[in-house]
């Protein structure tokens, strides 16, 4: 079995880490290491000290911390666009290192500011496989400022809830190539380029395999903005012939896209689908 690691975001409440660990262990997950990702602000320091005390136990998993760093060093808070970029890169690199080491990752996004949870989900979409998990901590009856309870006690109403992740590697097998990227922004740009190429190839297959040569030319001219009369003049055909060809094209497009029977496919849908394709194909 792969070694399992808990990566947890942290703000001012240290118990979000220890409670998540307790609940994961109660579910039977053998967590070998806990990695806490945090900012460098003074408000986080007490939480870090408390966690250091907790993880000093000999029986607990290995524990280490990773501070969010930007180009000029550690950041105190996630309050600017540059800070969020640094947060994404830090989370991405921490998770990527564990995945490259062959470990199963549990990502807890209960601690810290909301951008930590948001970018944690982005990283999970980019890098997780079907065995990794994202978790959020829910509790009943606890309010900020209450006495901290560091561990789950009998009767405590606290839950570790799994969050579904739409993994890019599941959407398209080619997305597994993203795991070789060291920078998340490069990975995201690569993902977009891959999706554009996949979409282009999908449309090319429709055009070349489902449309006749005559229908392809009609679609191309429609995408250039010509009406039926102009297309007929350009191709030396009767306007009714062009209309009949478009009726056939609309029916094929309707079937290919899997639209409901009550959805009408017409010129607007055709142009939306294929204007970019023909602009690229005929450039």
């Amino acid at each position: 079995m792969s070694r399992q690691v808990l990566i947890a975001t942290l703000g001012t409440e240290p118990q979000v880490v220890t409670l998540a660990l307790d609940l994961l262990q109660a579910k039977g997950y053998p967590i070998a290491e806990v990695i806490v990702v945090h900012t460098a602000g003074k408000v986080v320091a007490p939480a870090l000290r408390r966690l250091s005390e907790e993880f000093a136990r000999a029986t607990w998993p290995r524990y280490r911390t990773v501070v969010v760093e930007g180009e000029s060093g550690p950041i105190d808070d996630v309050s600017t666009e540059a800070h969020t970029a640094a947060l994404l890169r830090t989370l991405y690199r921490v998770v990527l290192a564990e995945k490259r080491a062959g470990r199963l990752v549990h990502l807890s996004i209960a601690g810290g500011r909301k951008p930590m949870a948001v970018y944690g989900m982005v990283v999970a979409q980019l890098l997780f496989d079907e065995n990794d998990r994202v978790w959020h901590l829910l509790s009943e009856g606890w309010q900020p400022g209450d006495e901290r309870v560091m561990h789950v006690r009998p009767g405590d109403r606290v839950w570790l809830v799994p969050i579904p992740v739409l993994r890019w590697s599941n959407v398209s097998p080619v997305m597994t190539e993203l795991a070789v990227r060291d920078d998340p922004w490069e990975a995201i740009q690569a993902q977009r380029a891959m999706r554009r190429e996949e979409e282009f190839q999908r449309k090319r297959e429709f055009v070349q395999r489902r449309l006749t040569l005559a229908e392809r030319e009609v679609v191309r001219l429609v995408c250039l903005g010509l009406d039926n009369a102009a297309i007929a003049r350009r191709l030396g055909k009767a306007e009714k012939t062009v209309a009949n060809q478009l009726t056939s094209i609309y029916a094929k497009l309707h079937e290919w896209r899997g639209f409901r029977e009550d959805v009408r496919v017409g010129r607007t849908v055709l142009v939306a689908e294929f204007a970019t394709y023909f602009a690229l194909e005929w450039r």
Side-chain angles (χ1 to χ4, degrees), residues 31-44:
I31 305 299
E33 183 177 14
V34 176
I35 303 170
V36 172
V37 179
H38 63 92
T39 56
K42 293 181 180 179
V43 294
V44 183

Side-chain angles (χ1 to χ4, degrees), residues 16-221:
V16 298
V17 177
T18 52
L19 292 175
L21 177 60
D22 285 350
L23 293 168
L24 283 173
Q25 291 177 329
K27 291 176 181 288
Y29 293 110
I31 305 299
E33 183 177 14
V34 176
I35 303 170
V36 172
V37 179
H38 63 92
T39 56
K42 293 181 180 179
V43 294
V44 183
L48 289 170
R49 286 195 296 270
R50 183 65 184 272
L51 287 174
S52 294
E53 295 169 1
E54 290 289 330
F55 281 92
R57 303 180 187 184
T59 57
W60 268 44
R62 180 187 173 194
Y63 165 75
R64 64 186 175 95
T65 63
V66 176
V67 66
V68 177
E69 291 197 46
E71 294 182 358
S72 58
I75 66 171
D76 291 338
D77 194 9
V78 182
S79 56
T80 68
E81 184 176 350
H83 292 165
T84 59
L87 170 62
L88 176 58
R89 286 192 173 95
T90 300
L91 285 168
Y92 182 89
R93 289 167 181 168
V94 170
V95 173
L96 181 61
E98 297 305 309
K99 294 306 299 173
R100 285 179 172 173
R103 293 166 187 153
L104 189 154
V105 175
H106 298 271
L107 177 61
S108 170
I109 57 174
R113 286 187 177 273
K114 288 182 180 179
M116 285 189 159
V118 172
Y119 283 112
M121 289 298 298
V122 171
V123 170
Q125 287 181 315
L126 289 170
L127 297 176
F128 273 21
D129 59 37
E130 65 275 6
N131 296 314
D132 301 308
R133 297 287 183 271
V134 178
W135 303 93
H136 192 62
L137 201 63
L138 296 179
S139 62
E140 185 178 290
W142 181 86
Q143 296 294 330
D146 289 353
E147 180 182 358
R148 291 189 177 105
V149 176
M150 298 298 292
H151 298 281
V152 179
R153 304 165 301 186
D156 280 345
R157 298 183 64 78
V158 57
W159 305 271
L160 197 61
V161 180
I163 301 177
V165 177
L166 177 60
R167 303 169 182 86
W168 284 114
S169 59
N170 288 350
V171 174
S172 171
V174 75
M175 296 303 175
T176 56
E177 190 267 344
L178 296 178
V180 305
R181 307 276 178 168
D182 291 318
D183 186 275
W185 299 107
E186 289 182 7
I188 291 169
Q189 290 301 319
Q191 175 261 322
R192 289 173 178 167
M194 291 175 195
R195 291 295 294 167
R196 285 194 297 268
E197 178 61 22
E198 283 190 340
E199 185 67 10
F200 181 83
Q201 294 301 331
R202 189 176 71 89
K203 291 180 178 180
R204 170 179 279 175
E205 182 179 8
F206 172 81
V207 169
Q208 294 185 349
R209 294 191 178 185
R210 301 204 182 195
L211 300 182
T212 66
L213 287 173
E215 287 172 340
R216 293 178 207 172
E217 185 62 11
V218 169
V219 175
R220 186 180 74 84
L221 294 175

